[in-house]
Amino acid sequence: MSLFLRTRLGVLILLLLPLPGVADPVSELPTEPIYLWAEKPLVEPDREHIKDQRLYAVDNPSITPFWPEKPNGTAIVIFPGGGYVRLAIDHEGYEIAKWFAERGVAAFVARYRMQEYGFPAPLLDGLRAVRLVRKNAADWGIDPAKIGVIGFSAGGHLAASIATRPAFTNMLNDPLGDISARPDFAVLGYPVIALYGPDAHAGSRKALLGENPDPKLLHDNSLQFQVTDKVPPVFMLHGVGDQAVKVTNSLAFFTEVQKHNKQSELHIYQTSIHGVGMIQGQGSISSWPLALEAWMRERGWLAP
């Protein structure tokens, strides 16, 4: 049996309190990973496995829920990074989810398909994850107008793709296709944005698009070119000396975002660290969760 099918989180089943404008939730909430494509048969054999604290070869994409004890109606879908090769599932996934749940936010850690499938599988998984949370908002005690995404590195590329390309589809007769996949806010940690040019992240490009991608695919997946007036509020963080993903990725994206959404923020830190997650003791960049918390409170996604 695969690691995925053996996973047991043992999250306590909670009774959610009614919220203004939010339907009463069901009394029992799902505690195990929820398949994104439940209408399709599972891929067998499932190749998913852990190596060096990273998750590889996702065949059956899912979201794993973390429920808050005192829910406030906000939800967030989390996309760990790893260059579309692997997922930093612990420090850019589960640890992030716990932080949000402690602040009243229902959090969902996404396992999404990567290099084994290539584009557009990760984007389709990300869009389906947002749609699935929104579809179940009433039953899960979530406000359907307070659903965000957060991603790190290549997971930041995926989160930014969802924020800028929510109407993307190459599927016919998607049973959730009529549900909006547009997130209400997006948080991007040291994100991959450019897939060509001097700022491109070559590893993510190869894993997502292959060795010799079509120029149109390169352009469409370089997300500074996909920002429109529909972009939601965005919070971004990056290290000025990041050698894995150049800070110019965030600068290029935020330059476009601020033209359309003045509720957005970009935080640049004096560090060369990449993949910090919420690790403490790494200088000023370790304080980014405090800045995010303040931004979310100001926007009404956390309690005052």
Side-chain angles (χ1 to χ4, degrees):
M1 183 179 292
S2 72
L3 172 67
F4 179 87
L5 297 176
R6 295 198 307 269
T7 299
R8 297 279 181 177
L9 295 180
V11 180
L12 182 64
I13 295 174
L14 300 169
L15 295 176
L16 296 181
L17 298 176
L19 295 162
V22 180
D24 291 347
V26 294
S27 59
E28 293 190 356
L29 298 168
T31 60
E32 297 187 4
I34 304 161
Y35 292 111
L36 295 181
W37 305 98
E39 70 273 20
K40 298 180 180 181
L42 293 177
V43 174
E44 292 290 352
D46 186 339
R47 296 171 290 177
E48 183 178 304
H49 63 280
I50 292 281
K51 180 182 178 181
D52 298 328
Q53 298 182 318
R54 299 293 189 270
L55 185 72
Y56 288 81
V58 173
D59 284 313
N60 295 297
S62 68
I63 50 175
T64 298
F66 286 72
W67 303 110
E69 291 187 16
K70 298 179 180 180
N72 62 22
T74 301
I76 195 160
V77 184
I78 301 164
F79 299 97
Y84 287 116
V85 174
R86 65 194 73 81
L87 298 180
I89 198 71
D90 289 323
H91 82 280
E92 291 178 351
Y94 301 147
E95 290 180 12
I96 305 297
K98 292 173 184 176
W99 185 89
F100 277 107
E102 288 169 358
R103 287 155 181 80
V105 177
F108 302 86
V109 179
R111 287 175 163 95
Y112 54 90
R113 291 171 291 174
M114 294 173 283
Q115 64 178 355
E116 293 80 11
Y117 293 82
F119 183 81
L123 179 53
L124 293 174
D125 290 346
L127 296 171
R128 171 57 77 99
V130 175
R131 288 189 172 107
L132 188 61
V133 172
R134 189 162 274 133
K135 173 182 181 292
N136 289 283
D139 286 343
W140 294 349
I142 292 167
D143 185 336
K146 291 184 176 182
I147 298 173
V149 294
I150 182 172
F152 300 88
S153 194
H157 183 269
L158 179 49
S161 297
I162 296 164
T164 56
R165 308 177 73 186
F168 176 88
T169 182
N170 71 345
M171 300 178 61
L172 297 176
N173 302 318
D174 182 349
L176 302 188
D178 291 336
I179 299 172
S180 173
R182 178 186 180 274
D184 299 295
F185 61 94
V187 181
L188 309 178
Y190 34 91
V192 174
I193 296 296
L195 292 190
Y196 71 93
D199 302 328
H201 188 256
S204 295
R205 177 180 64 215
K206 180 181 178 181
L208 184 64
L209 302 179
E211 288 280 4
N212 298 295
D214 181 274
K216 186 177 187 306
L217 275 180
L218 283 173
H219 181 80
D220 290 350
N221 285 280
S222 293
L223 302 174
Q224 70 271 36
F225 303 120
Q226 302 304 321
V227 178
T228 71
D229 59 0
K230 305 296 187 202
V231 70
V234 177
F235 179 99
M236 304 183 70
L237 66 122
H238 216 124
V240 70
D242 192 321
Q243 297 300 304
V245 177
K246 294 180 180 179
V247 69
T248 42
N249 280 259
S250 285
L251 294 173
F253 190 75
F254 191 77
T255 295
E256 299 305 314
V257 168
Q258 62 87 30
K259 294 176 183 177
H260 303 289
N261 199 308
K262 301 298 185 183
Q263 295 182 337
S264 300
E265 292 186 5
L266 170 61
H267 296 255
I268 304 294
Y269 295 94
Q270 289 290 329
T271 184
S272 60
I273 293 173
H274 182 78
V276 68
M278 289 188 170
I279 298 171
Q280 295 301 298
Q282 302 301 312
S284 60
I285 195 170
S286 291
S287 68
W288 74 262
L290 296 176
L292 173 61
E293 186 170 0
W295 180 75
M296 291 185 66
R297 290 192 193 283
E298 187 176 359
R299 304 266 70 83
W301 298 308
L302 293 180

